[in-house]
């Protein structure tokens, strides 16, 4: 599955620390970049399976919902040199990793001695997160992304509780007008769908592969199909009635 580098999917407290660390790395001329932030439970299971039920060497001992990545409070930083990612820690570069960890600690980010790229928010206990005790001051971007990960998980272990209601959208005022007749989702001929592409689905600016990629939809993400054109569907991600782009209809299933 595709890596997630969307800053808004990180908890805002952690997100700010990551942004400050990136600024300090740039000032120190250290070629580290954010390699992965939030990680879905599906991707975590996929990584955990490597070296166990799938070919390859083991890359993690954390199964789904057992990594702080799933809660938006951990991120991986990797060297990016000459347009390529590098985990090299030999020679001069060994000192670069030490500098990364030193600068991270200034931002109250904890490194792991056995996993050089991994940095996480201090004082985070996995047991608390799995029980639904999330860091305070979460915002809707972080909460809605975590909610999506929770509701799309249909395997073991059991997903954690949803974030508290205060992170959701505010209630409508009492005098909010009802939608006009013929304006509901069903009456408008719109339908909900779910992304079934294992590695995510590219959202393009138009109905075809020649159009620019705007973003990548997550596996299991819920969207609204506004209209179809051949093998392509125009979709609304936010559910606000505005089109966001096109994706291939073959990787969508009725929700």
């Amino acid at each position: 599955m595709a890596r997630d580098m969307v800053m808004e999917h990180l908890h805002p407290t952690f997100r700010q620390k990551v942004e400050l660390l990136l600024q300090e790395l740039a000032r120190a001329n250290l070629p580290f970049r954010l390699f992965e932030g939030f990680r879905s439970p599906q991707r975590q299971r996929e990584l955990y399976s490597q070296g166990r039920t799938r070919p390859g060497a083991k890359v993690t001992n954390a199964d789904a919902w057992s990594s702080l990545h799933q809660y938006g409070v951990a991120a991986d930083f990797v060297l990016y040199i000459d347009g390529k990612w590098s985990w090299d820690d030999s020679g001069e570069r060994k000192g670069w990793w030490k500098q990364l960890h030193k600068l991270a600690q200034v931002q109250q980010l904890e490194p792991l001695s056995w996993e050089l790229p991994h940095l996480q928010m201090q004082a985070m206990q996995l047991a608390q997160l799995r029980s639904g005790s999330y860091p305070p001051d979460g915002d809707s971007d972080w909460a809605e992304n975590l909610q999506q990960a929770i509701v799309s998980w249909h395997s073991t272990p059991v997903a954690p509780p949803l974030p508290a209601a205060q992170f959701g959208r505010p209630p409508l005022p009492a005098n909010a007008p009802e939608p006009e007749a013929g304006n509901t989702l069903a009456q408008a001929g719109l339908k909900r769908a779910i992304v079934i592409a294992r590695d995510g689905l590219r959202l393009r600016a138009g109905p075809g592969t020649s159009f620019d990629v705007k973003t990548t939809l997550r596996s299991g993400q819920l969207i609204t199909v506004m209209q179809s054109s051949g093998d392509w569907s125009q979709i609304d991600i936010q559910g606000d009635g505005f089109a966001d782009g096109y994706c291939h209809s073959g990787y969508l299933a009725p929700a």
Side-chain angles (χ1 to χ4, degrees), residues 4 36-41 43-44 47 67 69-70 76 115:
D4 188 330
E36 184 170 20
F38 172 82
R39 183 184 297 153
S40 71
R43 175 166 165 78
Q44 189 69 44
L47 294 174
S67 167
H69 281 279
Q70 273 85 84
D76 290 343
E115 197 173 333

Side-chain angles (χ1 to χ4, degrees), residues 195 197 199-203 215-219 247-248 251-252:
V195 176
D199 295 326
L201 180 60
R202 290 175 177 173
L203 181 71
T215 188
T216 300
L217 306 176
R218 301 185 308 278
S219 177
C247 60
H248 198 283
Y251 295 98
L252 299 176

Side-chain angles (χ1 to χ4, degrees), residues 7 10-23 107:
M7 294 292 283
L10 301 175
H11 187 280
T13 302
F14 179 68
R15 184 192 311 152
Q16 182 182 36
K17 295 177 183 298
V18 167
E19 290 171 343
L20 291 173
L21 176 58
L22 288 170
Q23 292 173 18
Q107 301 301 333

Side-chain angles (χ1 to χ4, degrees), residues 71-162:
Y71 307 90
V73 291
D76 290 343
F77 289 77
V78 177
L79 291 167
Y80 191 76
I81 302 171
D82 296 331
K84 296 180 181 179
W85 296 103
S86 173
W87 286 259
D88 183 15
D89 64 346
S90 62
E92 179 187 15
R93 296 181 183 181
K94 183 176 183 179
W96 295 356
W97 288 97
K98 289 182 178 179
Q99 286 181 268
L100 167 67
H101 293 168
K102 185 176 180 180
L103 291 173
Q105 288 174 328
V106 173
Q107 301 301 333
Q108 298 181 315
L109 298 176
E110 293 179 338
L112 298 178
S113 60
W114 64 91
E115 197 173 333
L116 286 177
H118 182 96
L119 296 172
Q120 62 189 41
M121 203 156 99
Q122 282 184 359
M124 287 291 99
Q125 299 297 321
L126 181 60
Q128 290 181 313
L129 294 169
R130 294 190 69 166
S131 69
S133 180
Y134 303 118
D137 303 320
D139 62 7
S140 60
D141 288 328
W142 164 79
E144 289 176 6
N145 182 66
L146 180 55
Q147 287 171 354
Q148 178 64 40
I150 291 170
V151 301
S152 69
W153 180 250
H154 305 293
S155 185
T156 55
V158 175
L162 291 168

